[in-house]
Amino acid sequence: MNDWLVLIVIYTALFISSPLIAVLHELGHAFAYLILTKPNKIDIYIGSYGNKKNNIAFKLGKLHFYIKKSFPFIKGIGLCHSSKQEPSYINEIIILLAGPLFTVVAACIPFIIILNTGANLLVLTSCYIFLGFSVLSLINNLIPKDINKKYKVYLANDGKQILFALNLRQAFPIYLEAAEHYKNKKFEKAAISLKLVLEKAHKTSDDILRLIIFTSIETKQYDDAHFYLTELENKFKLSTNDLLMKATLLSLTQRNNEAITTYNEVLKKDKNNILALNNIGAALLEKEEYFVARHAFEKAIKLDPDFYAPIGNLGHLEILEGNLETGKKLVNQCLSVNENASDAYKVLGIYYLKIKDINQATINFNKAKELDNDIDLSKYEDELKALNEEVV
């Protein structure tokens, strides 16, 4: 037999095994959803974890496929998302198991047939390779772990989600209720439900703690956020995202120096973390350390030119340094990306205050207050009042 032919067959089998396993894996989840949950729509992503950009999209009945275009081959990753939540933790576990098990079963059937029909050695070799990868995929998916962070998503694999469902089995319906509130940005209701879930869970869940911390920050219940953050820190190793959340909480509670230290911890782990760069720049701006703040904002903008926050913050810095028109231009650029950026209107108010345009300063400060009732304008309101008195 030609050695080159053998090599070509082996490399071809290796080449297609990964994306094929991803397709079968997600189909396994989808079929289980169709049988147990009966949703109206199931989204199946191949080659990404939910990215709808640059995809080949098509549908087969209730199955909507999004296959990521990539060269030279489709990545062996995927995601299956149902339009209807599964209310039973037992069914949820079955759905999670269906993905890796369906892949192995799908690999075993042709292998058994070919093994018993005396097929060509090359065909048998291809089946061995595919079956071997399917078994490895099964093991890899059932050992609990987080999804690799290089994909910029924070998901758990099937094994970790199975453990999560088992841990919350007494509170699974309450968790689904909390998830629905969270999805609809009803953070106060979500926080109440999540605290009840934590009480009923068989052991403390790091994922539930993270959700409670986030919802507590969103509802400005900072004491609760600190309490649960301390519990998370004592019981689990903080991830980069956890550190970022901790630093944000420290900033919001006026512990600027601690916040800067924590943002630096984030940047040591991920030097291109855009949120950390923007937030540490904002904290340094408060301390009037303009040179370092500028570097942080400019790097964040370079990494993501469409991220409005560092553009507005850089505009604020320019205005504070006396470059008024440059600053105003940047703030207007920020508002062209996000017209509801309350801090940007605050900075415009500062700009108009500096050029002594009382009317426009008042309009922009009022707009900032309208968008965020908790925004601190006291310093500038006093200055505006004094300017009004001068005019009178």
Side-chain angles (χ1 to χ4, degrees):
M1 187 176 292
N2 190 306
D3 290 343
W4 282 106
L5 182 59
V6 174
L7 285 172
I8 290 169
V9 169
I10 290 172
Y11 277 115
T12 302
L14 292 171
F15 189 78
I16 66 171
S17 286
S18 184
L20 182 56
I21 286 169
V23 171
L24 292 170
H25 182 108
E26 303 312 329
L27 281 174
H29 290 315
F31 293 151
Y33 272 124
L34 288 171
I35 295 166
L36 297 173
T37 309
K38 298 178 175 59
N40 294 322
K41 178 187 175 187
I42 297 173
D43 291 328
I44 298 176
Y45 299 88
I46 305 298
S48 78
Y49 290 117
N51 187 348
K52 287 188 177 180
K53 293 181 180 178
N54 194 33
N55 282 307
I56 299 169
F58 61 93
K59 64 178 182 177
L60 296 172
K62 293 182 178 181
L63 306 182
H64 293 243
F65 290 86
Y66 302 91
I67 301 176
K68 185 79 172 174
K69 297 176 187 175
S70 55
F71 182 83
F73 58 88
I74 299 167
K75 292 178 181 176
I77 59 175
L79 180 71
C80 181
H81 181 262
S82 170
S83 63
K84 183 179 177 183
Q85 287 184 317
E86 174 49 55
S88 163
Y89 83 92
I90 294 174
N91 285 354
E92 177 73 7
I93 291 170
I94 292 170
I95 290 165
L96 291 166
L97 285 170
L101 290 176
F102 181 75
T103 305
V104 173
V105 171
C108 282
I109 292 170
F111 177 77
I112 292 168
I113 293 171
I114 289 168
L115 194 64
N116 288 285
T117 55
N120 184 286
L121 179 62
L122 293 178
V123 177
L124 189 59
T125 301
S126 299
C127 287
Y128 267 116
I129 291 170
F130 183 52
L131 180 59
F133 273 103
S134 299
V135 173
L136 286 174
S137 175
L138 172 71
I139 295 167
N140 186 52
N141 276 283
L142 293 184
I143 294 174
K145 62 180 180 180
D146 291 319
I147 298 295
N148 194 322
K149 300 300 187 293
K150 73 180 180 180
Y151 294 113
K152 305 299 181 186
V153 292
Y154 299 93
L155 301 170
N157 74 345
D158 295 327
K160 188 167 182 180
Q161 290 183 66
I162 289 168
L163 283 182
F164 182 78
L166 282 170
N167 183 40
L168 299 187
R169 56 187 179 273
Q170 300 299 330
F172 199 71
I174 305 171
Y175 168 72
L176 294 181
E177 180 183 277
E180 190 65 22
H181 289 319
Y182 185 89
K183 179 183 174 183
N184 295 324
K185 297 186 177 180
K186 297 178 180 178
F187 296 120
E188 287 187 9
K189 290 183 177 180
I192 293 168
S193 296
L194 287 167
K195 288 172 186 177
L196 188 57
V197 169
L198 201 60
E199 288 175 14
K200 290 180 174 288
H202 286 259
K203 64 177 183 177
T204 304
S205 166
D206 54 336
D207 291 324
I208 297 298
L209 284 172
R210 289 184 181 100
L211 285 172
I212 294 177
I213 295 163
F214 181 83
T215 53
S216 297
I217 291 172
E218 285 293 317
T219 55
K220 297 180 173 60
Q221 298 177 43
Y222 299 136
D223 288 342
D224 282 357
H226 275 297
F227 173 81
Y228 290 111
L229 179 61
T230 301
E231 189 170 354
L232 180 69
E233 205 163 4
N234 289 339
K235 293 182 178 179
F236 304 95
K237 183 179 178 181
L238 295 187
S239 67
T240 303
N241 260 19
D242 296 334
L243 288 168
L244 185 58
M245 190 160 53
K246 177 182 178 180
T248 303
L249 180 58
L250 291 167
S251 291
L252 290 168
T253 51
Q254 311 304 315
R255 293 159 67 176
N256 239 18
N257 290 334
E258 292 174 73
I260 290 168
T261 300
T262 310
Y263 283 129
N264 276 320
E265 285 183 56
V266 175
L267 292 170
K268 283 179 184 176
K269 293 173 179 286
D270 179 7
K271 64 181 180 180
N272 293 329
N273 190 300
I274 299 170
L275 283 174
L277 286 165
N278 175 68
N279 292 0
I280 196 172
L284 290 165
L285 197 62
E286 288 288 322
K287 291 171 64 68
E288 299 184 2
E289 296 182 20
Y290 298 152
F291 180 80
V292 188
R294 177 184 292 277
H295 175 73
F297 294 142
E298 288 177 347
K299 185 174 181 181
I301 293 167
K302 185 178 179 181
L303 288 167
D304 185 356
D306 295 326
F307 183 29
Y308 70 92
I311 299 171
N313 282 328
L314 183 58
H316 189 185
L317 188 154
E318 294 286 6
I319 289 169
L320 292 175
E321 288 193 323
N323 306 315
L324 300 184
E325 296 310 314
T326 302
K328 183 188 177 187
K329 184 178 178 181
L330 285 164
V331 175
N332 284 330
Q333 184 183 339
C334 165
L335 287 170
S336 71
V337 180
N338 180 7
E339 62 181 10
N340 294 317
S342 57
D343 283 331
Y345 288 105
K346 173 182 173 180
V347 176
L348 275 182
I350 296 167
Y351 164 82
Y352 284 112
L353 199 58
K354 286 187 177 293
I355 64 170
K356 300 186 185 303
D357 187 333
I358 298 171
N359 184 50
Q360 283 298 318
T362 303
I363 289 171
N364 281 283
F365 284 142
N366 287 342
K367 182 66 175 178
K369 199 74 176 176
E370 178 189 324
L371 290 168
D372 181 4
N373 192 49
D374 293 315
I375 198 166
D376 184 11
L377 298 172
S378 55
K379 174 183 174 182
Y380 305 104
E381 286 169 345
D382 290 344
E383 195 174 334
L384 187 61
K385 184 179 178 181
L387 190 61
N388 265 310
E389 288 173 356
E390 280 181 28
V391 173
V392 174

